[in-house]
Amino acid sequence: MTRKISDKFKLILYLCALMVGVHVLNVVLNYQLNRFGIYPRHLDSLWTVFAAPFLHGSTAHLLNNLVGFCIFSALVLVHSIRRYLLNSLFIIVAGGVLVWLFGRPATHIGASGWVFGLWSLCIATAWFERRFINILIALFVVLFYGGLIYGVLPTDARISFEAHLFGALMGFYCAFLNAKGFFGKRKRI
């Protein structure tokens, strides 16, 4: 049990370290890596759905995303590392492709689509898999982070509300797919 918790904690730390490392390199390169963000409807930008979550426009942008990322990752990891990784990959790829298809013509960067996906996954899992732990997690997320719902609205032209919206929708869809056993047999917790 302790090893599983340790492995989950290490996974979050490694992903955070990767984001921080990429950001430090990006700062040293005067933010030149941000050109690898998602630029909607340009074929040469489609592959960047994998790069965009690790690129940030400023240290404040990175830190804001890291806080939510750590909290929601830990809550999703209550289930399993495998489920977390599959859900994260789905949120990043499907959400990123939707940004690429429907986003404004601007460079979309940051982990916030992933964060919003994990956020909505925490909430929607309680609806689709009505177990005590899932309901407890959803209540915590709604009570302390329910205001994130406003992040899916176009309030600031510098913020990719599209990434927030599509990430949240894909997190919800992941909860549905998890309940149907799409990402593997469900474990009782």
Side-chain angles (χ1 to χ4, degrees):
M1 181 70 154
T2 306
R3 182 184 164 129
K4 285 183 181 182
I5 292 171
S6 172
D7 290 345
K8 292 174 181 182
F9 183 69
K10 283 181 194 174
L11 177 60
I12 294 171
L13 283 179
Y14 291 150
L15 290 170
C16 289
L18 178 60
M19 283 188 219
V20 170
V22 168
H23 184 69
V24 168
L25 179 61
N26 202 10
V27 169
V28 168
L29 296 174
N30 200 26
Y31 291 95
Q32 291 300 307
L33 295 179
N34 286 353
R35 70 177 187 262
F36 299 117
I38 301 168
Y39 198 85
R41 295 169 297 285
H42 283 93
L43 280 176
D44 59 337
S45 168
L46 187 55
W47 72 272
T48 63
V49 300
F50 297 102
F54 298 95
L55 301 169
H56 292 84
S58 69
T59 302
H61 182 206
L62 172 66
L63 293 175
N64 283 333
N65 280 334
L66 283 178
V67 170
F69 177 78
C70 290
I71 292 167
F72 303 131
S73 289
L75 294 172
V76 172
L77 277 163
V78 163
H79 294 280
S80 73
I81 290 175
R82 181 181 187 277
R83 181 168 166 163
Y84 172 80
L85 291 172
L86 290 171
N87 285 196
S88 290
L89 183 63
F90 185 85
I91 290 165
I92 290 169
V93 173
V97 168
L98 288 170
V99 169
W100 186 84
L101 287 170
F102 302 110
R104 290 170 287 151
T107 303
H108 299 260
I109 57 171
S112 55
W114 189 3
V115 171
F116 272 76
L118 296 172
W119 169 78
S120 69
L121 177 59
C122 288
I123 297 168
T125 297
W127 177 262
F128 291 110
E129 298 179 50
R130 295 181 184 166
R131 295 191 190 107
F132 179 73
I133 189 71
N134 298 336
I135 294 167
L136 197 60
I137 289 170
L139 286 173
F140 171 81
V141 170
V142 169
L143 286 173
F144 291 100
Y145 299 99
L148 283 180
I149 191 70
Y150 296 110
V152 301
L153 301 174
T155 56
D156 185 338
R158 297 170 297 155
I159 297 173
S160 177
F161 79 91
E162 297 96 330
H164 298 179
L165 175 63
F166 294 131
L169 290 173
M170 291 306 98
F172 183 87
Y173 192 53
C174 275
F176 170 78
L177 293 174
N178 289 330
K180 296 295 182 190
F182 183 79
F183 292 119
K185 186 179 175 199
R186 292 187 305 165
K187 280 184 165 179
R188 280 228 169 263
I189 57 170

